[in-house]
Amino acid sequence: MKWQQRIRVATGMSCLQIMLHLLVVALLVMGWLSNTMVRVGLGLCTLYAVTLMLMLVFQRHAEGWRREFADLLEELTTAWYFGASLIAIWLLSRVVHNNFLLAVAGLALLAGPALVSLLIKDRRRSGDLPAKHSVRR
């Protein structure tokens, strides 16, 4: 087994994803040390948004290199979402000073996509499954 495969099995992430995570952490530390954390946070959130938009564009293609690229972008957006949402909440806290509004925004950012995904899956499943037994009256 190659060393890249061993790392993937042990961590669940590819070497590229691990290097990108370390790069993001290094950027955040550099931003904190140089007092440019807001600019670094805005840049990382913009990078996440661009990656998400590219993923949505390339996801429409069902075959070839475009599909592989869309799969890579999907893995990146999934892995980066939590960090990007925490940075967005932190940036929002610099502007909004109401704890209740920050809590609502945090719940919307962190739990919103999961709830939407679950609701869409339930809606799809409810129409596809036939009833097992008919109801007699």
Side-chain angles (χ1 to χ4, degrees):
M1 181 183 291
K2 291 183 180 179
W3 64 272
Q4 292 105 339
Q5 292 171 336
R6 288 184 182 167
I7 290 174
R8 179 131 186 142
V9 168
T11 64
M13 293 188 292
S14 67
C15 292
L16 176 66
Q17 288 176 322
I18 293 171
M19 288 189 317
L20 288 173
H21 280 11
L22 292 174
L23 177 67
V24 168
V25 170
L27 286 172
L28 289 172
V29 168
M30 287 174 36
W32 179 57
L33 291 176
S34 64
N35 291 329
T36 58
M37 192 67 169
V38 173
R39 290 181 185 156
V40 170
L42 286 172
L44 288 173
C45 286
T46 303
L47 179 66
Y48 177 78
V50 168
T51 306
L52 183 68
M53 297 306 289
L54 283 173
M55 180 200 71
L56 293 174
V57 167
F58 281 103
Q59 223 173 21
R60 296 178 185 236
H61 302 285
E63 53 193 41
W65 68 271
R66 293 177 183 154
R67 183 65 190 165
E68 292 175 14
F69 185 63
D71 290 341
L72 173 72
L73 292 175
E74 184 176 0
E75 286 182 23
L76 287 178
T77 55
T78 303
W80 285 354
Y81 180 74
F82 186 72
S85 61
L86 287 180
I87 293 170
I89 292 169
W90 179 78
L91 288 170
L92 190 61
S93 74
R94 307 286 287 180
V95 178
V96 177
H97 300 290
N98 185 342
N99 289 339
F100 180 73
L101 290 177
L102 287 173
V104 169
L107 282 174
L109 280 172
L110 293 174
L115 290 175
V116 169
S117 175
L118 288 173
L119 290 174
I120 289 174
K121 286 180 183 178
D122 282 345
R123 215 180 289 148
R124 286 180 187 165
R125 288 183 183 172
S126 65
D128 293 342
L129 297 176
K132 289 185 177 181
H133 303 287
S134 60
V135 178
R136 293 185 192 175
R137 293 187 183 202

